[in-house]
Amino acid sequence: MSTETKPKAELYKRVDALWTTVRDQFAFLRQDPMAFAGMLVVAAFVFLGLFGPYLALHDPIEHTVRGDGGSVLRLTAPSADALFGTTAYGKDVLSQFLAGARPTLIVGLFGGLGTGALGFTVGVVSGYYGGWVDELLMRLTDLTFSLPFMPMALLLLTFMTPNIWLITAIIAAFLWKMPARVVRSEVLSVRERTFVKSARASGASNLRTMLYHVAPNVLPIGFLYTAYGVAWAIAAQASLAFLGFGDPTMTSWGRMLRQVFASGNMRVAWWWVLPPAIGIAAITTSVFLIGRAYEEVINPEIQTNQ
């Protein structure tokens, strides 16, 4: 094999391995009807997050729906003029729903990844080193547990202009505590195994031992809590937006619920309430269903005890 074709062959091999992994995970989820349904919902949510604003028929904020006579259609039930109805301000609910999926996806994805990555790093370092490092990091974790997320987030957002990335950072900064605790407990078990002690005895550095011998063995639990972090981040972002601390420049599902509540039509305009409420409930429930399926693999005792 020539030197030019070798990198291509290696690339094809990696792509094939990745495709095999995706196919295996797809087959695994198909065995669990609830998890498979959750996967379909998550796929639809990702599609809406990427392309929803482009599929929206109107600008979710600027455009006002008008009837044949030119009058603004306010609080109109679903009809041919507006498939999901209109808001009290004459805005198209369907367009707001489609556009609102993107900030929900951004906060859920990056908030979940940030939560998982931060918690995983703290858990691995704390469990591996032990001693004063463990003491310091766990006391920091305890401090995070003692600070209630919502009041602290509202306090911070009171003094700073809310935007989607700031909200994501605040969510990750407060929600990493749970994965950190769980990963640390796993690392405490892994670090006592023979292959880890052999690596240390052979002269491997602490960093190498953590990266090549400890971290891969606790990675599944890290992925699981990263998935849960996505659901936590989405729920947190929707709650902040409902309380009026969301990004004021973007339409989100939480902001839609705030607007319908502030207009006093929460119990009247069901067509305005249901799309964002169902969207938030569907994506968070789906992520937990998928996580539940993998949790049974990571911790078989759950399945055994059922």
Side-chain angles (χ1 to χ4, degrees), residues 153-281:
L154 295 179
L155 180 64
L156 292 172
L157 292 172
T158 299
F159 296 101
M160 293 183 280
T161 303
N163 64 68
I164 201 74
W165 299 109
L166 176 62
I167 293 170
T168 303
I170 291 175
I171 289 172
F174 278 93
L175 299 186
W176 57 270
K177 51 197 175 188
M178 185 61 77
R181 281 282 193 194
V182 177
V183 170
R184 172 185 173 272
S185 66
E186 289 292 311
V187 172
L188 290 177
S189 172
V190 171
R191 74 174 186 179
E192 300 301 326
R193 294 180 186 173
T194 305
F195 62 90
V196 176
K197 292 182 177 179
S198 299
R200 288 175 180 165
S202 64
S205 66
N206 287 327
L207 181 61
R208 182 179 179 82
T209 305
M210 276 194 296
L211 291 179
Y212 288 93
H213 300 287
V214 176
N217 285 281
V218 296
L219 204 55
I221 198 79
F223 281 136
L224 176 63
Y225 275 84
T226 298
Y228 286 154
V230 172
W232 297 337
I234 290 173
Q237 186 264 349
S239 301
L240 290 172
F242 181 77
L243 294 173
F245 289 84
D247 189 334
T249 65
M250 303 182 75
T251 296
S252 68
W253 292 345
R255 190 182 180 197
M256 289 178 67
L257 291 174
R258 172 175 173 75
Q259 288 179 333
V260 66
F261 177 77
S263 70
N265 295 292
M266 181 72 85
R267 300 178 185 276
V268 178
W270 55 267
W271 58 87
W272 192 1
V273 177
L274 288 183
I278 291 176
I280 294 169

Side-chain angles (χ1 to χ4, degrees), residues 29 32 34-35 37-38 228 284-294:
L29 290 175
D32 187 328
M34 299 299 288
Y228 286 154
T284 53
T285 303
S286 298
V287 171
F288 276 113
L289 289 175
I290 295 173
R292 177 69 180 175
Y294 280 102

Side-chain angles (χ1 to χ4, degrees), residues 1-12:
M1 184 179 295
S2 68
T3 55
E4 295 182 355
T5 57
K6 190 175 179 180
K8 291 184 178 178
E10 185 66 24
L11 177 62
Y12 292 148

Side-chain angles (χ1 to χ4, degrees), residues 1 27 36-37 42 52 59 69 76 94 107-108 115 159 179 192 199 227 230 254 272:
M1 184 179 295
F36 185 66
V42 170
D59 186 290
T76 303
L94 176 59
V107 174
T115 298
F159 296 101
E192 300 301 326
V230 172
W272 192 1

Side-chain angles (χ1 to χ4, degrees), residues 66-216:
R66 297 181 182 275
D68 295 335
S71 59
V72 177
L73 298 180
R74 303 179 188 276
L75 282 183
T76 303
S79 64
D81 295 321
L83 295 179
F84 279 25
T86 63
T87 71
Y89 314 104
K91 310 301 179 184
D92 183 34
V93 173
L94 176 59
S95 297
Q96 290 196 346
F97 175 75
L98 292 173
R102 175 165 292 181
T104 307
L105 174 65
I106 291 174
V107 174
L109 180 62
F110 290 100
L113 289 176
T115 298
L118 191 55
F120 185 81
T121 303
V122 171
V124 170
V125 172
S126 178
Y128 177 79
Y129 280 105
W132 69 268
V133 175
D134 182 38
E135 187 70 19
L136 176 64
L137 291 177
M138 285 302 99
R139 295 298 75 78
L140 179 62
T141 306
D142 291 340
L143 176 64
T144 311
F145 268 107
S146 67
L147 297 175
F149 166 72
M150 192 58 69
M152 294 304 299
L154 295 179
L155 180 64
L156 292 172
L157 292 172
T158 299
F159 296 101
M160 293 183 280
T161 303
N163 64 68
I164 201 74
W165 299 109
L166 176 62
I167 293 170
T168 303
I170 291 175
I171 289 172
F174 278 93
L175 299 186
W176 57 270
K177 51 197 175 188
M178 185 61 77
R181 281 282 193 194
V182 177
V183 170
R184 172 185 173 272
S185 66
E186 289 292 311
V187 172
L188 290 177
S189 172
V190 171
R191 74 174 186 179
E192 300 301 326
R193 294 180 186 173
T194 305
F195 62 90
V196 176
K197 292 182 177 179
S198 299
R200 288 175 180 165
S202 64
S205 66
N206 287 327
L207 181 61
R208 182 179 179 82
T209 305
M210 276 194 296
L211 291 179
Y212 288 93
H213 300 287
V214 176

